[in-house]
Amino acid sequence: MTQLIRARSGEITPEMQQVALQEKLEAEKIKDLLAKGLVVIPANKNHQNLNPIGIGRGLRTKVNANLGTSPTFPDWENEIEKLKVSLACKVDAVMDLSTGGEIQTCRQKIIAHSPVPVGTVPIYEAAVKARETHGAVVEMDPDDLFAVIASQAKQGVDFVTVHCGVTQRIVEKLKNKPRVLGIVSRGGSMMAGWILHNQKENPLYEQFDRLLEICLSYDVTLSLGDGLRPGCLDDATDDAQIEELMVLGELVERSRAAGVQVMVEGPGHVPFDQIAANVVLQKRLCHDAPFYVLGPLVTDIAAGYDHIAAAIGGTAAAVAGADFLCYVTPAEHLGLPTIDDVREGIMASRVAAHAADIVKGSPYIKEKDSAMAVARRDLDWNEQMNLALNPQKAREIRRDLNPVEQEVCSMCGEFCAIEMVNKYLGELDN
Amino acid sequence: MTQLIRARSGEITPEMQQVALQEKLEAEKIKDLLAKGLVVIPANKNHQNLNPIGIGRGLRTKVNANLGTSPTFPDWENEIEKLKVSLACKVDAVMDLSTGGEIQTCRQKIIAHSPVPVGTVPIYEAAVKARETHGAVVEMDPDDLFAVIASQAKQGVDFVTVHCGVTQRIVEKLKNKPRVLGIVSRGGSMMAGWILHNQKENPLYEQFDRLLEICLSYDVTLSLGDGLRPGCLDDATDDAQIEELMVLGELVERSRAAGVQVMVEGPGHVPFDQIAANVVLQKRLCHDAPFYVLGPLVTDIAAGYDHIAAAIGGTAAAVAGADFLCYVTPAEHLGLPTIDDVREGIMASRVAAHAADIVKGSPYIKEKDSAMAVARRDLDWNEQMNLALNPQKAREIRRDLNPVEQEVCSMCGEFCAIEMVNKYLGELDN
């Protein structure tokens, strides 16, 4: 019994109540949004101590951080440290994308330590196993892939990215009409390689019902991956991307019909002026399923600053209706992020999500901004620090930049505009 | 003879030629844009070794970094270090906002070491002098203010921010109908305090022709300051801001009529969905004068991450037509920026400017992005680093994150999507 099925039957679950409290909405409203598939609550029944969140229309824009080992950095302990930092930065969800070392242990530890929903891309574990067992990812046995998905579901994974839309037809088209940067989705590239090597249909597409059965058993939310997402501006919003999106739209309907919660992933690298169109198109073709975007990155040349390129694109996407932002760190395109990169990536995405929610969200979203304005007028520094998105960082910077204790700050000192205004304009302000 | 007057007379100056080369446009076109006032080339005839740039319609979006001492940090040597870092980060212009220590020396050194245009806010020096001479900023003698402007013009300052639009009428209105955060512009607050204390009209407004005469003598470009810019989202796009903008529109016409180059400054703190409207309004009310924005910041609570909030707003503003972005650093609202803050602030603004130029600029703007996509497909790391907005930073991160020398990166390692795609899809790509 998934949250979706229970919502449809009219039940208000504890998870829906918790989401309603967080979002300052009626539980009844959450139930209705869930029943229509406009909101998902990724909450695997085996994820102990989960604080459920809702993702989708009318709710606060959520932020995900990708964690996980790689062949170069296989230590799961480091990823647990990243998880702790992510939680301290108030991340809404994390994904464990491990491909190095003891990946099952890493996932188990992350699920055990994470009160936020945990997602995975199961084909990564299947790929690691295929390399070990058969010598190559493309030799992967589809049954092994489904076995991995089932075992991860049983372990308590709340949502899985599955590249079901990378169909044989699309891959063949792509082969005959290449893009600049073919496929940059790791899971998408594995699936495309498998399809071309085996000359068979994508098993995640062909046996989609088998996937739905697993999700039904544990209430795993499907996150339909965009294997064909553009990896550069020149490939953005092209026919490969849109054809996959149409396939995903069909799979959204099949998921909902089966009672499985579903969201859809989106680009990627997209010029600023194409972002809103991408969101409108996704919402239309995918029947208003929650939209989970990776960036979008508004330039290809911001290596080292891709968290900023993603914050720009993420704001525009969320304002247009995207519901869930996958963070991008300063290490994007360069290597596996460090703990500091994780922190910077989350904070950049949180700025983006909040900036968008100010525009699209409930009025309560802006309360802190309004309070900050008053704290600034009153030169109440302690309150300003408390209200900052990351109070600790704000306090550190203020401490470092203000060696002298004074009411004003070290930028303007005795020439503080606020002080001047409070003196000459201020009588009527308070 | 200003660039504006010379353009109107049909002359193509060396400065116009240089701008044309930079922008890959015909010099004739630059001359026409200048003649109409749609483009300015801030180039004081006393600024030796200046590499002139153009700001305005059809040109690349430019980025300014604010430098300068404060009472807490009065050492000008440190500001020269910031200038060097700014130039290394490819800043397009700098402003010297010094208010502490030897401010004339600081300005002289900055002008001498800066091949990019240098701007100032002359009222700061006048305020420092007024405190020294008369004990208070509001006791400033208008003649002293004009003397400061004239001396700075003679020193070689290329553009000056002057808060001419903070009129007695607007300040009185503001007093009777307060905002949350009255005035946050330092120069604007000084002028408002002066007006209320002396019960006289703003001398920069009342004696605007005197200002124009000084600008004419040295070809100083006026940057009409937005003293009433909103300091918080709740004050954005209000009547005080718009009334000032209308005054600035009149002054644009008077400046142009006098042959003085002019641009207009804009907000500030603005919700994402009001940004485009602000740009459209400025362009309309100010007769398409180049628009120089401070941010805009899309949230009030990003202290420590305000460079990101400004990059988001700056992109939206530039896409809508803003021409010149004033950087915001991570130290904004907390203190005077460090050298690292200056670097981060410039790079964030450069990401924003470039993301916008991809959308609004000439096709050549995107050449590096297109080349980056090819370098990524080819796993050509050296070329990727060369093409990055900040090659040094990208190289440092790659070095730190990739202890093992390999063709792929430490994020995906042997599960690299590009490698997979090049193997199975790649035959036709190259």
Side-chain angles (χ1 to χ4, degrees):
Chain A
M1 287 286 278
T2 65
Q3 297 288 329
L4 173 55
I5 294 172
R6 292 164 78 180
R8 276 197 202 132
S9 73
E11 182 186 350
I12 292 178
T13 65
E15 289 79 8
M16 296 175 208
Q17 279 170 331
Q18 198 160 338
V19 168
L21 269 176
Q22 287 164 21
E23 305 279 347
K24 303 189 196 295
L25 292 170
E26 298 293 316
E28 190 73 24
K29 168 93 175 166
I30 300 295
K31 186 204 70 186
D32 291 346
L33 289 164
L34 257 170
K36 287 178 187 154
L38 306 183
V39 160
V40 294
I41 298 181
N44 186 310
K45 64 180 194 180
N46 285 350
H47 185 174
Q48 304 300 318
N49 305 315
L50 173 70
N51 272 324
I53 57 151
I55 300 166
R57 178 169 302 171
L59 309 190
R60 191 171 54 76
T61 303
K62 304 302 186 296
V63 170
N64 173 76
N66 288 339
L67 312 175
T69 61
S70 75
T72 314
F73 296 107
D75 295 335
W76 60 261
E77 290 87 350
N78 204 35
E79 302 310 306
I80 299 299
E81 289 308 309
K82 289 183 190 168
L83 171 64
K84 288 179 187 166
V85 164
S86 301
L87 296 171
C89 289
K90 299 190 180 170
V91 81
D92 298 298
V94 296
M95 291 189 78
D96 174 12
L97 306 185
S98 291
T99 55
E102 302 164 41
I103 59 180
Q104 292 183 37
T105 306
C106 188
R107 187 168 56 243
Q108 182 238 314
K109 297 281 182 189
I110 285 179
I111 294 171
H113 287 85
S114 176
V116 300
V118 176
T120 59
V121 185
I123 199 173
Y124 294 173
E125 183 181 356
V128 171
K129 286 191 174 165
R131 269 181 88 104
E132 286 168 3
T133 319
H134 306 293
V137 173
V138 294
E139 301 291 351
M140 180 174 58
D141 182 333
D143 288 341
D144 291 341
L145 175 56
F146 284 102
V148 163
I149 297 171
S151 79
Q152 293 195 5
K154 193 175 174 187
Q155 215 177 0
V157 166
D158 301 292
F159 60 103
V160 291
T161 295
V162 275
H163 300 91
C164 310
V166 181
T167 60
Q168 198 168 11
R169 175 186 142 93
I170 295 176
V171 173
E172 289 295 342
K173 261 180 78 171
L174 200 62
K175 190 163 179 168
N176 294 319
K177 194 180 163 191
R179 299 162 141 184
V180 180
L181 253 175
I183 300 179
V184 295
S185 151
R186 224 184 323 177
S189 76
M190 290 171 180
M191 200 40 85
W194 189 94
I195 290 167
L196 290 168
H197 178 76
N198 296 285
Q199 287 295 304
K200 284 185 183 161
E201 184 53 283
N202 179 343
L204 294 172
Y205 177 74
E206 202 170 46
Q207 304 179 54
F208 189 66
D209 290 335
R210 196 170 165 186
L211 194 55
L212 293 176
E213 270 171 46
I214 299 170
C215 292
L216 265 181
S217 304
Y218 301 93
D219 198 359
V220 173
T221 298
L222 281 179
S223 187
L224 298 174
D226 55 335
L228 280 304
R229 70 171 172 270
C232 61
L233 300 182
D234 286 335
D235 290 342
T237 328
D238 71 350
D239 53 356
Q241 183 198 324
I242 305 308
E243 182 158 347
E244 181 189 36
L245 192 63
M246 291 191 281
V247 175
L248 300 186
E250 289 169 31
L251 300 181
V252 164
E253 291 192 301
R254 285 176 62 187
S255 304
R256 287 177 179 169
V260 170
Q261 299 192 84
V262 63
M263 56 186 169
V264 173
E265 297 184 12
H269 291 240
V270 184
F272 189 86
D273 62 343
Q274 294 178 26
I275 290 175
N278 267 271
V279 178
V280 170
L281 202 57
Q282 182 274 345
K283 289 284 176 184
R284 181 79 183 101
L285 294 176
C286 296
H287 318 287
D288 295 309
F291 196 22
Y292 178 22
V293 292
L294 296 148
L297 294 172
V298 289
T299 162
D300 296 339
I301 63 170
Y305 301 92
D306 272 325
H307 60 308
I308 295 175
I312 295 167
T315 306
V319 167
D323 308 284
F324 191 19
L325 305 181
C326 185
Y327 86 165
V328 172
T329 80
E332 186 72 19
H333 297 112
L334 297 169
L336 197 73
T338 64
I339 288 176
D340 280 345
D341 292 327
V342 166
R343 184 184 295 111
E344 294 308 301
I346 293 172
M347 291 312 305
S349 290
R350 283 193 58 210
V351 172
H354 182 66
D357 285 341
I358 285 170
V359 171
K360 74 170 182 173
S362 322
Y364 87 88
I365 293 281
K366 241 185 70 196
E367 284 169 7
K368 278 195 171 184
D369 295 79
S370 297
M372 179 67 94
V374 173
R376 284 190 175 136
R377 182 192 66 194
D378 297 343
L379 292 168
D380 182 342
W381 291 96
N382 191 45
E383 185 67 2
Q384 287 180 49
M385 300 304 108
N386 291 342
L387 289 165
L389 270 179
N390 183 340
Q392 192 189 336
K393 171 88 171 249
R395 265 179 228 284
E396 281 168 17
I397 296 178
R398 173 152 167 83
R399 185 196 60 211
D400 293 348
L401 295 182
N402 293 276
V404 184
E405 192 64 47
Q406 51 185 352
E407 201 193 9
V408 293
C409 89
S410 64
M411 180 175 263
C412 305
E414 61 216 36
F415 300 103
C416 175
I418 307 277
E419 217 175 37
M420 174 71 89
V421 164
N422 287 351
K423 185 165 176 190
Y424 290 95
L425 271 174
E427 306 93 280
L428 297 171
D429 273 10
N430 291 296
Chain B
M1 288 286 279
T2 64
Q3 296 288 329
L4 172 55
I5 294 172
R6 292 163 78 180
R8 276 198 201 131
S9 73
E11 182 187 349
I12 291 178
T13 64
E15 288 79 8
M16 297 175 207
Q17 279 169 331
Q18 198 161 338
V19 168
L21 270 176
Q22 288 164 20
E23 304 280 347
K24 302 188 195 298
L25 292 170
E26 299 293 317
E28 191 72 26
K29 167 95 176 164
I30 300 295
K31 188 204 69 186
D32 291 346
L33 289 165
L34 257 170
K36 288 179 186 152
L38 307 183
V39 160
V40 294
I41 299 181
N44 186 309
K45 64 179 192 180
N46 285 350
H47 186 174
Q48 306 298 319
N49 305 314
L50 173 71
N51 273 323
I53 57 152
I55 299 166
R57 178 169 302 171
L59 309 189
R60 191 172 54 75
T61 303
K62 305 303 186 296
V63 170
N64 172 78
N66 288 339
L67 313 175
T69 61
S70 76
T72 315
F73 295 108
D75 295 336
W76 59 261
E77 290 87 350
N78 204 35
E79 302 310 306
I80 300 299
E81 289 308 309
K82 289 183 190 169
L83 171 64
K84 289 179 186 165
V85 164
S86 301
L87 296 171
C89 289
K90 300 192 180 168
V91 80
D92 298 297
V94 296
M95 292 188 78
D96 174 13
L97 306 185
S98 291
T99 54
E102 303 164 40
I103 61 180
Q104 292 183 38
T105 307
C106 187
R107 188 170 54 243
Q108 182 240 314
K109 297 282 181 189
I110 285 179
I111 293 171
H113 287 85
S114 177
V116 300
V118 176
T120 59
V121 185
I123 199 173
Y124 294 173
E125 184 182 356
V128 170
K129 286 190 172 165
R131 269 181 88 104
E132 286 168 5
T133 318
H134 305 293
V137 172
V138 294
E139 301 289 351
M140 181 173 59
D141 181 334
D143 288 341
D144 292 342
L145 174 56
F146 284 102
V148 163
I149 297 171
S151 79
Q152 292 195 6
K154 193 175 175 187
Q155 215 177 1
V157 166
D158 301 292
F159 60 104
V160 290
T161 296
V162 275
H163 300 91
C164 309
V166 181
T167 61
Q168 198 167 12
R169 177 187 141 94
I170 294 176
V171 173
E172 289 295 341
K173 263 180 76 172
L174 201 61
K175 190 162 178 170
N176 295 319
K177 195 181 162 190
R179 298 162 140 183
V180 180
L181 253 176
I183 299 179
V184 294
S185 151
R186 225 184 322 177
S189 76
M190 290 170 180
M191 200 40 85
W194 190 93
I195 290 167
L196 290 169
H197 179 75
N198 297 285
Q199 287 295 306
K200 284 187 183 161
E201 183 53 282
N202 179 343
L204 295 172
Y205 177 74
E206 203 170 44
Q207 304 180 53
F208 189 66
D209 289 335
R210 196 169 164 186
L211 195 55
L212 293 176
E213 272 171 44
I214 299 169
C215 292
L216 265 180
S217 304
Y218 302 93
D219 198 0
V220 173
T221 299
L222 282 179
S223 188
L224 298 174
D226 55 335
L228 280 302
R229 71 172 173 271
C232 62
L233 301 183
D234 286 335
D235 290 341
T237 328
D238 71 351
D239 53 358
Q241 183 198 325
I242 304 309
E243 183 159 346
E244 181 189 35
L245 192 64
M246 290 191 282
V247 174
L248 301 185
E250 289 169 31
L251 299 180
V252 164
E253 291 191 302
R254 286 175 61 186
S255 305
R256 286 178 180 167
V260 170
Q261 301 193 83
V262 62
M263 57 186 170
V264 173
E265 298 183 12
H269 291 241
V270 184
F272 189 87
D273 62 344
Q274 293 178 25
I275 291 175
N278 266 273
V279 178
V280 170
L281 203 56
Q282 182 275 345
K283 289 284 175 185
R284 182 78 183 101
L285 293 176
C286 297
H287 318 287
D288 295 309
F291 197 21
Y292 178 21
V293 291
L294 296 149
L297 295 172
V298 289
T299 161
D300 297 338
I301 62 170
Y305 301 92
D306 272 326
H307 60 308
I308 295 174
I312 295 167
T315 307
V319 166
D323 308 285
F324 191 19
L325 305 181
C326 184
Y327 86 166
V328 172
T329 79
E332 185 72 18
H333 297 111
L334 298 169
L336 197 75
T338 64
I339 289 176
D340 280 345
D341 291 328
V342 167
R343 184 185 294 112
E344 293 309 302
I346 294 171
M347 291 311 306
S349 288
R350 284 193 59 210
V351 172
H354 182 67
D357 285 341
I358 285 170
V359 170
K360 73 170 183 174
S362 320
Y364 88 88
I365 294 281
K366 241 185 70 196
E367 283 169 7
K368 279 196 170 184
D369 295 79
S370 296
M372 179 67 95
V374 173
R376 284 190 174 137
R377 181 191 66 194
D378 297 343
L379 292 168
D380 182 342
W381 291 96
N382 191 44
E383 185 66 2
Q384 287 181 49
M385 301 303 108
N386 291 342
L387 290 165
L389 271 179
N390 183 339
Q392 191 188 338
K393 170 88 171 248
R395 264 180 227 287
E396 282 170 15
I397 296 178
R398 173 151 166 84
R399 185 197 59 210
D400 292 347
L401 296 182
N402 293 275
V404 184
E405 191 64 48
Q406 51 185 352
E407 200 194 11
V408 292
C409 90
S410 64
M411 182 176 260
C412 305
E414 62 215 36
F415 301 102
C416 176
I418 307 276
E419 215 175 39
M420 173 71 88
V421 163
N422 287 351
K423 185 164 177 190
Y424 290 95
L425 272 174
E427 307 92 282
L428 296 171
D429 273 8
N430 290 298

